[in-house]
Structures are given as C-alpha cells and as structure tokens.
Amino acid sequence: MEYVIDIQNLKKSYKKRKSNELIEAVKGISLQVKKGEVVGLLGPNGAGKTTTIKMMCGLLLPNEGTVTINGIDMIKHRLKALRHISTVLEGNRNLYWRLTVRENMEYFSGNRGLSKKEISARIDELLERLNLTEKANEMVNSLSRGMQQKLSIAVAILANTEIIFLDEPTLGLDVEISYEIRKLLKEIAQEYNKTILLSSHDMPVVQEICERVVIINEGRIVTDDSVSNLLSLFDTKAYSFTVGSTLSLKDRETIEQQFIVQTEMNESGQSIVTVTIQHSDDFYKVIEIFKERNIVIEKVDRSIIDFEQVFMKIVKGETGHEVAVSV
C-alpha cells in the first residue's frame, strides 16, 4: 500500500546551549499515513511532536531516517515534496501582518501559482464561512489571535494541497473561537478528503476530528491506534454514590474486596463513594452490598471517561497497551 506520508526511523538531536551535551528530541520514529486519514499527533511538552512535524515539512533535517511525501523524498527533493503540503505552525507567523486579510489570501495563493481570478470566489466563500468577511480589508496585525488563526487555516485550505499539517491550531483561543475552528477542521476532513496531521493538547479537537491517534513520549511513539480503540481500552465506568452518613472502615473494606473505591466527604458531611466497575452487571452487585450493609443511598452519578483521561493514562504508563499500528 502506498502512503501519502511515510517516515522511517526519524532521529533528531540538538546540542545543549553552552555545552556539547546532545539532547535526543526524536529517537527513531516511524509513521505511515494513508490518503484521507485524519491523524492526531499527541504528547506532553518536549515529547518531540513539533520537531517531528518540522522534519516532515522540510524545515529541519533529520540526523537519521527518511521522510517521503506522496512518494517524494523530502530530503532529496524538498521543493517538489513541498508542493503537496500546507502547514500551520504554532508560535510562528504564518501570515504577513502588514497585509490585509484578503491580501494575505491572495499572496499565499499566488505563491502556489494560483491567479487572483482563479481564487476570488473561493476567497469570498472562505471569508464568509469563517465569519471574516467584515475583516477582509483589515490589517492582520489588528486582528485577534483567534481571527489570525482562522485566517492561517484558510490560507492552508486555499493552497489546495493533499496534505495539511496543523500544529496546535486551537492553542490559547477562547471557547467560542476554538469551537469554530474544530467545526471548520471537521468540515475540511469530511468535505475535501484531505489528509490531516494534527498536533494538539486540545483533547476535544482530537476526539471530535481524528480517526487515529499517535502518542509520542520522550521522542518515541508509545501508542498508534484508533480513537475508538483507545477509548474502549479504558471502557470502565465509575459511579459516585452519595450516602446518608459517614462510610465506616468496615463498609469500605467490604466494597474494596470486589471493586476499586475512592471516598471523600461533601460539605454536608456525607460520604461520596466512587466505585469503578468493568461490567454493567457489577452496578447491581454494588447496590446489593450497600443494601446488605444498611447504607442509605441519597444520590447516584455516572462518570464517563474522555480522551484526555485516556491520553494521561498512556503517557503515565498506566496501561500495558502496546503500540498497535493502524494500516
């Protein structure tokens, strides 16, 4: 099978400032992405995500390994490979601040060989879609960070490349703008069949948009699997029982013989007993234990795991889940 992104044994080291000590940022990463896939690239700060993306975009040369974009070797034929990708990098100026919104869209499209006539209608459509029509003739340096980020993504879409790299597209944005960008990215993935590689700490973005997740930690891939598989890996259910009085040590020990239990006190002096279960039938076993111990249940709440919890468990090594490569 031919992949639109194929990186093999990618390694990158830096010399530490004011010393000759080498810092290994990326320690042999291999990754393959098919056409139309939307892949989340995750990891804690310093894990090597941005360094990996920069090598994939030809902005950094690896010490070892290969990067192939649409069958083209990025290291040997960089300019040819770059024709197939668009990139929005976090913390970088992806736009010219002394040009207007429309001028930026026209300028970067022109760099791709597209004329104003060819893209005029497309620009109008994107401006309206991103709620930027009223800002079309404003200088970019006067826009909010959220509007600048939306414009950066619009410029990437206008390039009409098969592959889009996005590094932290919602970082530092307010809830409303973050939602707009999530909605836009989801539409791009569904409507245009683009291959998207998304690096983000924003777990709702990953859970809503990505089909597959690659988690990097300490310069290596620790997990490569579908979002649904990773969520099912931790498909435990937790129920919080608010009981009428303080839970005794003996009561707690009885429950702990069968289940994982956490207890805390609320402001009213009642015990909140959180019980983690693996199977739906276990819920009734917990109820039976409470009944046998004459513990009065005042309230029951359900807690469902989300992708942020999954991510933290994997990074902390709280699972024996081995790397599963999706192909």
Side-chain angles (χ1 to χ4, degrees):
M1 179 183 291
E2 188 174 335
Y3 299 94
V4 292
I5 301 172
D6 187 352
I7 64 175
Q8 296 294 327
N9 197 34
L10 214 57
K11 296 182 181 180
K12 184 65 179 178
S13 299
Y14 298 97
K15 277 191 177 180
K16 197 172 181 180
R17 287 183 180 180
K18 299 181 180 179
S19 77
N20 289 322
E21 182 184 352
L22 280 179
I23 304 296
E24 291 183 277
V26 177
K27 303 173 183 177
I29 285 178
S30 296
L31 172 66
Q32 295 170 315
V33 181
K34 295 180 290 187
K35 179 176 174 59
E37 270 196 292
V38 182
V39 179
L41 188 63
L42 308 183
N45 289 331
K49 305 184 303 299
T50 298
T51 300
T52 299
I53 287 179
K54 286 183 176 180
M55 286 190 284
M56 294 166 77
C57 296
L59 296 174
L60 288 176
L61 283 174
N63 298 116
E64 294 183 35
T66 60
V67 177
T68 305
I69 302 294
N70 239 12
I72 303 166
D73 189 314
M74 173 63 78
I75 299 168
K76 294 179 180 177
H77 306 286
R78 180 174 175 272
L79 291 179
K80 191 175 178 182
L82 287 174
R83 293 174 191 162
H84 299 274
I85 65 175
S86 301
T87 308
V88 179
L89 294 175
E90 189 278 321
N92 288 267
R93 286 193 178 182
N94 298 289
L95 307 165
Y96 279 114
W97 285 24
R98 294 186 180 276
L99 295 179
T100 67
V101 169
R102 184 180 292 277
E103 286 169 345
N104 265 278
M105 297 173 85
E106 291 172 345
Y107 174 79
F108 285 105
S109 298
N111 281 353
R112 295 281 185 168
L114 302 172
S115 68
K116 286 185 182 181
K117 185 177 180 180
E118 286 179 283
I119 59 163
S120 179
R122 188 77 179 101
I123 287 175
D124 289 338
E125 177 192 335
L126 278 171
L127 288 172
E128 184 173 352
R129 193 169 193 169
L130 295 170
N131 297 318
L132 288 172
T133 301
E134 293 183 1
K135 304 288 184 180
N137 297 313
E138 288 194 21
M139 304 288 279
V140 166
N141 61 6
S142 69
L143 300 180
S144 67
R145 176 171 178 151
M147 288 184 179
Q148 290 173 1
Q149 192 69 339
K150 287 198 292 184
L151 178 57
S152 295
I153 294 171
V155 166
I157 295 170
L158 277 172
N160 199 30
T161 57
E162 301 100 314
I163 302 164
I164 300 176
F165 291 117
L166 299 168
D167 188 19
E168 298 289 359
T170 58
L171 185 67
L173 305 183
D174 62 37
V175 175
E176 184 179 354
I177 296 294
S178 179
Y179 172 78
E180 285 186 31
I181 288 178
R182 291 206 306 271
K183 182 173 179 288
L184 173 66
L185 295 178
K186 197 170 183 179
E187 289 170 354
I188 294 169
Q190 292 174 347
E191 294 175 25
Y192 302 111
N193 196 33
K194 300 293 185 185
T195 302
I196 299 176
L197 190 69
L198 169 73
S199 168
S200 180
H201 281 90
D202 190 341
M203 294 304 157
V205 171
V206 175
Q207 194 164 345
E208 286 179 32
I209 299 169
C210 298
E211 306 151 2
R212 172 182 162 203
V213 172
V214 176
I215 298 179
I216 296 177
N217 197 22
E218 297 180 353
R220 293 187 174 91
I221 291 177
V222 295
T223 296
D224 181 351
D225 211 337
S226 69
V227 171
S228 58
N229 281 351
L230 290 175
L231 285 169
S232 65
L233 176 68
F234 297 95
D235 191 20
T236 57
K237 302 175 180 68
Y239 289 90
S240 294
F241 299 86
T242 302
V243 299
S245 58
T246 303
L247 194 71
S248 71
L249 180 60
K250 181 66 175 176
D251 291 337
R252 177 179 174 129
E253 288 175 347
T254 301
I255 303 170
E256 284 180 338
Q257 288 174 3
Q258 297 185 55
F259 305 103
I260 299 171
V261 179
Q262 290 180 314
T263 60
E264 59 182 315
M265 299 287 291
N266 65 15
E267 295 177 354
S268 302
Q270 297 170 309
S271 289
I272 300 176
V273 185
T274 301
V275 183
T276 300
I277 64 175
Q278 295 288 341
H279 308 287
S280 297
D281 289 348
D282 289 342
F283 176 81
Y284 301 102
K285 293 179 183 178
V286 177
I287 297 294
E288 191 62 32
I289 293 172
F290 281 125
K291 182 180 178 181
E292 290 174 357
R293 304 294 301 177
N294 293 317
I295 300 169
V296 178
I297 300 171
E298 302 282 352
K299 182 182 176 184
V300 181
D301 293 303
R302 167 88 182 273
S303 174
I304 302 174
I305 196 163
D306 59 25
F307 196 77
E308 185 166 8
Q309 292 169 285
V310 172
F311 170 70
M312 291 307 298
K313 284 177 180 286
I314 291 173
V315 169
K316 290 178 180 179
E318 295 178 10
T319 170
H321 181 60
E322 297 178 353
V323 174
V325 180
S326 300
V327 294

